[in-house]
Structures are given as C-alpha cells and as structure tokens.
Amino acid sequence: MIRSDKRIQVAWISLLVGLMSVLFCTSSAARERLNLTLGEQKTINTPSISRIAVGNPNVADVKVLDKSNQVLITAMGVGETNLIVWDEGDRERTILIRVSARDPWEVSGELKRLLKGVEGIDIKPVGMRVIIDGMVLREEDMQKILKISKFYPQVINMATLSPTVLDTNIELANNELKNAGLPSARAVRVGNRVILTGDVPDENAKKQAKVIADAFTKDALNFL
C-alpha cells in the first residue's frame, strides 16, 4: 500500500512538472521580444488598436501613428520594458523591449563624419556616452550640432557659441527689436546665455520680442 501511494505521488509530481513546463513555454512564446539600440526607431503592425501601455517610458517611447494600425517605438534609454497593445476585442499583445547602447566609438566616428568642417569642437567617447565639447565659431554650425545631437541619446552636447559671435548676434537682435517698435526690450549676454530684459506694453509684444531674439540667438530667456 505504501509503495502504491509513492507511485501515485511520483505520478502527480511528474504531471505537475509537465503542466508547469507547458505553461512556462506558452507564456514565453506569447511574449514577443524586440531588441533595439539607443535612439533606434521601429514600427510594429497591430490591427484594430484600442489602447497601449508601456512599463517604463524612459526606456521606450511608444505612440500609435495617426489613422493606422502601427505603433512607433523609439528607444530612449538602456534597459528593458514591456509594451502591451490591446485590440478592439480586448485581446493583449505583449512585447518585451530590450534597449542596448551603441558602441560609443562607432557613434563618435559617425558624428565626426556628420560634423566634418565644424571648427572649434572636440568629439570623444566617455564611458558609454559621447561628448561634444568646444567653442563654435559660427551660429549655423551651432545649429547643426544641436539638430544632429538630438538624434543621438548617448550624446551630451557641451559645445558653446563663441562670445564674439554671440555678441554680434545680440547686436543684430537689438537692432531688430528697435525696428519692430520695441526699443525698451533689450537682449543681453550673461555668460553664454542670452536674456531679454526691459519693458513691453503687453503680452503680445513680449511674445514678439522672444521670437525676434530667438531668430538671432538660441533659446533666449525671457525676463520681460
């Protein structure tokens, strides 16, 4: 009798182990995997999307493209997160998103090619990051650096515009403010930043002064 009970116990244990294995395999198969590198974008097709949710938006940014059955995924930070997509029948589709960093030396080389001809800057890997440093001599070069660096989450832009160039741009901005009938509004340099000071008659004039200043300088602080 004891031997028979032991056989029954062994049979039950074997059955439970088998069921657990099946459930584990089913769960693993149901969850898709998507590997991305930092800054990479990918679209996935999912019919009849009703809603989506992402576990960690710092790892992946997701949004449903207008009037389509596509989800755009942007790799924002190194790590893992889950994306869940529900269709109109409330069925779930789960995707494990894994984001890894690109080789910083590869990114550095790519940036050097893209920013070839820009004087006064140094591009170098520091750990898993890439630093752009130095003093830029032309406004258009500074704008180019800012535009390109936005596409590389690993990049830290520490480059600044030469004070001489900045002073020239401030003078141009102040002349334009005067021509626009805003002589009491002035752009001034504080370090490497531009600040709008003075007086304007109303809120519309304040916004107009900011637009004028930004046309000649980058992100002027509006203290009007």
Side-chain angles (χ1 to χ4, degrees):
M1 184 67 179
I2 295 175
R3 182 176 296 178
S4 177
D5 289 343
K6 286 184 177 179
R7 287 177 179 174
I8 292 172
Q9 288 177 353
V10 170
W12 272 108
I13 291 171
S14 299
L15 179 61
L16 287 172
V17 170
L19 286 171
M20 289 175 66
S21 299
V22 170
L23 288 172
F24 177 78
C25 292
T26 303
S27 175
S28 298
R31 188 166 68 165
E32 303 171 46
R33 286 173 170 77
L34 178 63
N35 295 320
L36 299 172
T37 55
L38 203 57
E40 185 180 358
Q41 289 187 315
K42 181 86 172 179
T43 56
I44 60 170
N45 296 314
T46 299
S48 306
I49 300 171
S50 65
R51 65 188 191 279
I52 61 175
V54 65
N56 187 350
N58 293 323
V59 173
D61 176 71
V62 298
K63 63 180 179 181
V64 179
L65 299 179
D66 291 340
K67 298 179 181 179
S68 77
N69 293 320
Q70 291 185 319
V71 178
L72 176 65
I73 304 170
T74 304
M76 303 298 294
V78 175
E80 292 184 354
T81 189
N82 282 319
L83 167 64
I84 304 176
V85 183
W86 289 270
D87 64 14
E88 292 178 354
D90 211 31
R91 290 180 291 269
E92 292 183 13
R93 178 185 178 186
T94 302
I95 302 171
L96 173 63
I97 301 172
R98 181 179 289 114
V99 179
S100 58
R102 289 182 61 188
D103 183 343
W105 289 98
E106 179 186 344
V107 174
S108 175
E110 201 168 293
L111 286 172
K112 286 178 180 179
R113 290 191 294 273
L114 291 171
L115 296 173
K116 185 178 180 180
V118 176
E119 298 180 9
I121 61 170
D122 182 34
I123 302 171
K124 58 186 177 183
V126 177
M128 294 305 295
R129 298 283 183 176
V130 177
I131 307 295
I132 303 176
D133 200 4
M135 193 165 288
V136 184
L137 305 178
R138 300 192 305 170
E139 174 69 25
E140 53 266 38
D141 286 342
M142 190 68 208
Q143 295 303 321
K144 185 177 182 180
I145 292 170
L146 292 170
K147 186 179 293 185
I148 290 174
S149 61
K150 287 180 180 178
F151 294 97
Y152 294 88
Q154 282 173 263
V155 171
I156 298 175
N157 179 28
M158 299 178 66
T160 57
L161 191 63
S162 166
T164 303
V165 178
L166 195 56
D167 288 341
T168 300
N169 290 340
I170 288 172
E171 184 179 352
L172 292 171
N174 284 329
N175 288 336
E176 190 62 29
L177 287 168
K178 185 177 180 180
N179 293 335
L182 301 170
S184 297
R186 297 284 297 172
V188 297
R189 178 166 67 86
V190 178
N192 288 316
R193 296 304 305 266
V194 177
I195 295 176
L196 272 173
T197 63
D199 297 307
V200 290
D202 52 38
E203 190 65 27
N204 287 334
K206 180 179 179 179
K207 292 178 181 178
Q208 183 185 5
K210 179 69 164 68
V211 170
I212 291 172
D214 284 346
F216 295 93
T217 63
K218 180 64 179 175
D219 294 332
L221 297 176
N222 196 348
F223 288 167
L224 292 172

